[in-house]
Amino acid sequence: MPVKPTPVGPYKAILFDIGGVVVGSPFQGIADFELQHNLPVNYLNVAITRAGHNGAFQRLERGEVDLWSFYDAFSDQLSDPRNVAAYAKYAELRSKAFDEKSFKAPKVDGRALFHQMMSKAAVVNPYMVEAIAALRKAGYTVAALTNNFNYPSDERGQREQDLILKETADSFLTAAKTTAGTKGPGAIVMGQDQLKTLFDHFIESAILGLRKPDPAIYKKAAEIVGFKSEEIVFFDDIGANLKAAQNEGWTTIRVLLGKPRQAIEQLESILGITLLAPESRL
């Protein structure tokens, strides 16, 4: 069995958020759903945030509700008329035009929205796959640290995951036909089990009962990977999650929407190694 190389420098473990970093962003699925249903920009994000710590999505990611109960609760939460007033405050703070009196709270199908979110999150970014493989080859411990959920393990749950993967593949093939001839590698569609094989550790909110940005999940993650805070670099796309990691002493890199290579190049600079092949930079 070959000996694993020892990384040079102060960093030993590289942790990755999943949604919006290694895979597509569920937020893009929300944005697409809002556009398709003629909803104001960020209306659904405001509705999800308004529910706070005990919202349907937050509870799903802590493993407190099953998927089927979540669908019902998510639909009710997103259809709540109180979301209109919350969005009016959001719009006012940003000087956005919004007529609260004439806007009627929509009836939102939580399952349909969730499918659209998850279909984005099933498309893996090839640059991140390449970088993760290079990091592991170089001897770094590579882990996922994700707010997630797990599909039910029964036949019904498997059918639901298979349906989302099929919807993803169909959507991706349609997009590929419209962008034929463009440069760059194609996206990769993966299920949860396959995605987990990319990492040395897959640290999940649904298993721990903790979700980012709770400080406890970062402490637990450091314990799982077995390294000190100053030896960890963390990728995420959400500011609050990165700030919480910084408070734990982690080095952080923000992954901006559509700019994964920029984040990887920042990591290359920090580590002093090359992670992407020349053809991946074209």
Side-chain angles (χ1 to χ4, degrees):
M1 185 174 181
V3 177
K4 186 176 181 179
T6 301
V8 176
Y11 300 109
K12 309 298 181 187
I14 316 300
L15 273 61
F16 291 80
D17 175 39
I18 296 298
V21 175
V22 179
V23 304
S25 174
F27 291 112
Q28 186 60 56
I30 294 174
D32 291 347
F33 191 93
E34 288 173 339
L35 185 63
Q36 292 163 7
H37 293 81
N38 199 30
L39 296 174
V41 174
N42 278 332
Y43 180 85
L44 295 175
N45 283 321
V46 170
I48 292 169
T49 302
R50 186 188 73 80
H53 181 74
N54 289 316
F57 204 84
Q58 292 83 345
R59 293 177 64 209
L60 179 70
E61 289 185 332
R62 293 195 300 269
E64 295 173 359
V65 294
D66 63 43
L67 186 62
W68 319 117
S69 299
F70 161 75
Y71 283 154
D72 291 338
F74 201 39
S75 297
D76 291 342
Q77 177 186 321
L78 297 174
S79 303
D80 192 328
R82 289 175 293 182
N83 294 329
V84 178
Y87 188 79
K89 291 181 181 178
Y90 164 87
E92 183 180 2
L93 288 171
R94 289 158 183 78
S95 300
K96 294 168 61 76
F98 178 68
D99 188 350
E100 180 181 357
K101 293 182 179 179
S102 64
F103 184 81
K104 183 179 179 181
K107 186 73 173 176
V108 179
D109 183 335
R111 180 172 180 259
L113 172 60
F114 191 72
H115 274 227
Q116 197 145 338
M117 294 167 67
M118 292 304 103
S119 66
K120 296 295 181 183
V123 179
V124 182
N125 187 283
Y127 300 115
M128 286 294 179
V129 172
E130 183 179 350
I132 288 167
L135 285 165
R136 294 182 76 178
K137 186 176 181 180
Y140 290 91
T141 294
V142 182
L145 177 58
T146 177
N147 288 348
N148 75 334
F149 76 102
N150 286 310
Y151 289 96
S153 58
D154 59 11
E155 184 179 347
R156 184 185 178 198
Q158 187 60 56
R159 285 200 307 268
E160 190 75 353
Q161 180 174 196
D162 289 345
L163 176 59
I164 290 174
L165 289 175
K166 182 182 183 303
E167 292 169 348
T168 304
D170 290 347
S171 174
F172 176 63
L173 287 173
T174 300
K177 289 177 182 177
T178 63
T179 57
T182 58
K183 292 184 178 181
I188 307 164
V189 177
M190 285 188 184
Q192 280 189 349
D193 291 341
Q194 188 180 5
L195 183 64
K196 291 177 181 180
T197 65
L198 299 177
F199 300 92
D200 296 307
H201 304 279
F202 203 85
I203 305 167
E204 309 173 66
S205 65
I207 299 297
L208 295 181
L210 301 166
R211 67 188 297 276
K212 296 173 294 183
D214 185 336
I217 198 170
Y218 299 92
K219 292 180 171 66
K220 187 65 178 177
E223 178 185 321
I224 290 170
V225 299
F227 292 102
K228 299 175 183 177
S229 296
E230 59 269 24
E231 296 175 316
I232 297 172
V233 181
F234 177 52
F235 280 74
D236 206 299
D237 62 324
I238 297 176
N241 295 343
L242 293 166
K243 184 176 180 180
Q246 291 164 7
N247 290 340
E248 293 301 316
W250 295 11
T251 296
T252 63
I253 296 175
R254 185 162 193 171
V255 182
L256 301 175
L257 184 63
K259 297 183 177 180
R261 284 191 303 180
Q262 184 181 85
I264 293 167
E265 288 166 359
Q266 189 177 344
L267 179 63
E268 289 178 323
S269 178
I270 289 173
L271 300 180
I273 63 173
T274 299
L275 298 172
L276 296 179
E279 55 268 26
S280 295
R281 302 180 192 275
L282 298 177

